[in-house]
Amino acid sequence: MARIENYLLGMDCGTTNIKAVLLGEDGKAVAEASRASHTLSPGPDMQEQNADEWWGNAAEILRDITELAGTDIVKRIRGICVSSHTVSLLPLDSDGKPLRNAIIYQDCRSTGELEDIIEKIGYERFVNIIGGRPSIAFLPSKLLWYKRNEPELFGKTRCCLQASSYINYKLTGMLTADVDQAARTQCLDVNSMTWSSEIGEAMGICLDEILPSPRPVDDIIGFVTAQAAKETGLSEGIPVICGCSDAMASMYATGLCRLGEAGEASGTTSLLFVGSDKKSAPDVPVTTRPCAIDGVPYVFDAPIQASGASLKWFIEKLAAEERDYAVKNSRNIYDYLNEQALEAPAGCRGLYFYPYLLGERAPLWNNYARGMFIGMGMDMTRAELIRAVFEGTAYALRHVMSTIRHNGGKAGILRICGGGAKSRTWSMIKASMLKMPVYVLDESSGDVPVGDCLIVGRKVGVFESLTEASRRIIRVKEIIQPVDEWVSVYDKLYPYYAEMYSCLDESLKNLHNTVTALEYEKKPGR
């Protein structure tokens, strides 16, 4: 057997865990490790994470991997790429230390700030600058909230980073921003690819002073320092590239390599990718981004806020009976729920679940949408309740796919990677909901850190091209076809899913405003 000379290290800082893989140039994983991440909720609509935990977990993971791989292989690591969930607001002081917890993309506290920014700039002008629809998931409103509500900390802020950029800083000592995540912040002028002075002026913040200049995803930003090597077990001097969002890494991890394909990175959130031969208009609910894959000039990149998170929420809040059964019978709770869901009929006899527990990004782009069950009856079964959660996230996926198709995207198959790909029940529902076969990727192929490895491997010359690397390394585990009976049911029921939310949209917005006002009145001193 030929000796493998080149190894690549990919790491993804996800919302629920950080994981990494050490991949040989033959596509085989030599070592893998992960650690759980914890999200904090210090107040209503607030979602934060601790950056020290990011780095602590990352260092532990890297120590595990280097110990498993051994010194000889560690010396042959040719490059490192780190991706992460996005968009986050992590302010650092002049010593490079976090000033507070990172405010992550799921945080919805800054509604008023977003409205103020839009009012100053004008909605149409804002859309033309950022190339998409404004949302509190992104950075402008978070920055303005930070400035208004924590002025002392804001005054000490040297720069703001994303999660991957912070891990890169700990590895290399360099403060950087990658152009992929920069374009997702809604602080970047997509026409000039520089931080927008107009958006900065609307906030009273000079973005060039607190956000590092965007650099290409595969720029070598630095090398593993002696201190980082000591903390992680890596060799000093390994090149580290700028990195990207988990969305971009996921796209490569799905093996999407031609027009007519779609990919879903199915995790806490879902990220849907659909190739396009033309650029979309900036004011549509989902927009295209330039794509580095040969033959795919543009890609629709649409995030869904709470797909896997909805199932986790159901388990924690409503599935006590199922949890008890799983514990008593030594069963995996997710496996048991998959079985139970199949006991219910497709469509759950008109029971709908709306997975808007944290608002929704694509294609609604609002924070006031809320999770809902609609259609409950006294004769409802627990199996129907469980299946409704699976179906609700699939309805949301169809909503996004329909919007993408309406704006020029085309797809005939769906490639799935991530934790959600482990659920065959879910994949069957998605195949039937979308009326297309689902390609479930092998677990060793479709994980986000594998996408990171492909990106850095191309940069350092281990792979000739990303397309060639994807075809060689990404493997399909199973192809799941639509269930004809389910297809017919979902075709009849999906229109009600979209219509009922549309009818409730204005009421949900008004409800959110009322509840926010009530919470404000409860604050001390009011």
Side-chain angles (χ1 to χ4, degrees):
M1 183 179 294
R3 172 183 162 95
I4 303 299
E5 294 295 337
N6 302 301
Y7 292 87
L8 302 161
L9 184 58
M11 173 178 282
D12 180 60
C13 180
T15 312
T16 56
N17 63 70
I18 301 179
K19 50 190 173 183
V21 62
L22 183 60
L23 200 70
E25 61 187 313
D26 60 349
K28 294 181 180 178
V30 175
E32 299 176 78
S34 66
R35 292 288 188 282
S37 295
H38 300 94
T39 299
L40 310 170
S41 299
D45 293 330
M46 295 181 179
Q47 300 287 307
E48 301 180 353
Q49 291 192 342
N50 186 326
D52 290 331
E53 183 183 67
W54 289 343
W55 173 243
N57 283 344
E60 287 184 11
I61 288 167
L62 293 172
R63 287 196 298 272
D64 287 350
I65 283 179
T66 53
E67 289 174 8
L68 286 168
T71 304
D72 185 48
I73 287 178
V74 171
K75 290 179 179 178
R76 285 178 271 158
I77 298 176
R78 306 305 180 202
I80 299 171
C81 177
V82 182
S83 62
S84 69
H85 59 76
T86 196
V87 172
S88 296
L89 170 62
L90 174 64
L92 304 185
D93 66 14
S94 57
D95 295 321
K97 295 180 180 178
L99 285 161
R100 68 173 330 279
N101 287 333
I103 300 175
I104 66 171
Y105 66 96
Q106 293 175 327
D107 191 279
C108 297
R109 76 183 74 178
S110 53
T111 302
E113 283 73 21
L114 182 61
E115 291 173 352
D116 291 345
I117 293 169
I118 293 173
E119 183 178 355
K120 286 185 178 180
I121 298 175
Y123 183 85
E124 290 186 9
R125 178 57 185 156
F126 197 12
V127 166
N128 287 329
I129 293 172
I130 64 178
R133 291 194 173 187
S135 169
I136 58 170
F138 303 113
L139 205 52
S141 60
K142 290 177 168 59
L143 272 171
L144 184 54
W145 183 93
Y146 177 47
K147 178 188 174 187
R148 286 176 172 176
N149 291 273
E150 298 177 354
E152 185 176 344
L153 293 181
F154 183 82
K156 297 177 182 179
T157 299
R158 175 188 176 189
C159 73
C160 297
L161 297 182
Q162 298 302 311
S164 58
S165 301
Y166 183 68
I167 293 173
N168 283 345
Y169 167 66
K170 300 294 284 187
L171 287 171
T172 68
M174 303 299 293
L175 297 168
T176 59
D178 66 85
V179 71
D180 173 49
Q181 293 191 80
R184 298 171 193 277
T185 61
Q186 296 199 343
C187 286
L188 194 78
D189 186 330
V190 297
N191 304 290
S192 64
M193 298 307 287
T194 59
W195 299 121
S196 169
S197 59
E198 285 185 64
I199 294 174
E201 287 170 7
M203 297 185 289
I205 299 171
C206 180
L207 296 178
D208 287 322
E209 291 182 359
I210 64 169
L211 299 178
S213 298
R215 298 175 62 171
V217 166
D218 63 353
D219 252 15
I220 294 176
I221 60 168
F223 304 87
V224 174
T225 65
Q227 178 61 34
K230 181 180 178 181
E231 292 186 54
T232 62
L234 294 168
S235 298
E236 183 179 354
I238 297 174
V240 178
I241 66 170
C242 203
C244 57
S245 67
D246 53 2
M248 175 172 279
S250 296
M251 184 176 68
Y252 295 117
T254 63
L256 190 153
C257 58
R258 62 179 64 86
L259 291 172
E261 294 183 340
E264 183 199 3
S266 179
T268 305
T269 62
S270 278
L271 297 160
L272 182 65
F273 314 98
V274 180
S276 177
D277 58 1
K278 60 183 180 181
K279 186 177 181 179
S280 65
D283 59 346
V284 299
V286 288
T287 55
T288 56
R289 302 178 189 277
C291 183
I293 296 174
D294 297 337
V296 184
Y298 299 96
V299 64
F300 286 94
D301 170 359
I304 299 172
Q305 190 83 321
S307 48
S310 291
L311 191 57
K312 184 173 184 290
W313 166 84
F314 178 81
I315 290 171
E316 291 175 349
K317 304 296 185 182
L318 298 177
E321 182 176 316
E322 288 75 21
R323 291 200 312 271
D324 289 346
Y325 178 88
V327 169
K328 290 177 182 177
N329 293 275
S330 301
R331 297 288 309 278
N332 178 287
I333 181 62
Y334 288 95
D335 290 342
Y336 182 55
L337 291 182
N338 275 270
E339 292 175 7
Q340 287 297 295
L342 292 177
E343 296 294 320
C348 301
R349 296 185 299 145
L351 174 62
Y352 292 85
F353 171 70
Y354 289 78
Y356 305 147
L357 300 167
L358 292 164
E360 184 56 288
R361 291 190 282 175
L364 302 180
W365 299 109
N366 72 55
N367 68 301
Y368 55 79
R370 281 295 176 263
M372 301 176 285
F373 283 102
I374 295 178
M376 288 182 170
M378 290 292 287
D379 59 347
M380 178 194 73
T381 66
R382 292 196 64 81
E384 288 171 340
L385 195 67
I386 294 165
R387 181 167 182 141
V389 176
F390 284 101
E391 289 185 341
T393 57
Y395 279 127
L397 190 64
R398 179 162 172 168
H399 194 184
V400 174
M401 183 69 80
S402 298
T403 307
I404 288 174
R405 283 174 167 159
H406 181 72
N407 289 285
K410 297 179 177 65
I413 67 168
L414 178 69
R415 305 168 70 94
I416 296 184
C417 71
K422 297 176 182 178
S423 170
R424 196 172 192 280
T425 298
W426 212 354
S427 292
M428 290 169 64
I429 290 170
K430 290 175 182 177
S432 305
M433 185 71 71
L434 299 177
K435 298 186 285 188
M436 64 176 69
V438 165
Y439 286 53
V440 180
L441 303 183
D442 185 276
E443 287 184 32
S444 64
S445 301
D447 222 356
V448 179
V450 173
D452 293 309
C453 290
L454 298 184
I455 295 169
V456 70
R458 173 67 182 89
K459 176 64 178 181
V460 299
V462 173
F463 303 127
E464 186 175 325
S465 71
L466 287 170
T467 302
E468 177 266 333
S470 293
R471 287 174 175 164
R472 186 189 341 159
I473 291 174
I474 307 302
R475 302 176 181 90
V476 176
K477 178 182 178 181
E478 182 182 8
I479 300 175
I480 296 176
Q481 298 291 342
V483 179
D484 290 341
E485 180 184 346
W486 296 3
V487 169
S488 177
V489 171
Y490 295 144
D491 271 352
K492 292 180 175 69
L493 295 182
Y494 169 74
Y496 295 104
Y497 175 88
E499 180 183 346
M500 284 191 290
Y501 177 79
S502 178
C503 292
L504 289 170
D505 181 82
E506 188 65 25
S507 294
L508 287 169
K509 183 177 182 179
N510 293 335
L511 174 63
H512 177 270
N513 292 338
T514 299
V515 171
T516 300
L518 289 171
E519 292 292 339
Y520 179 73
E521 290 172 4
K522 292 179 183 178
K523 287 184 177 180
R526 296 301 303 169

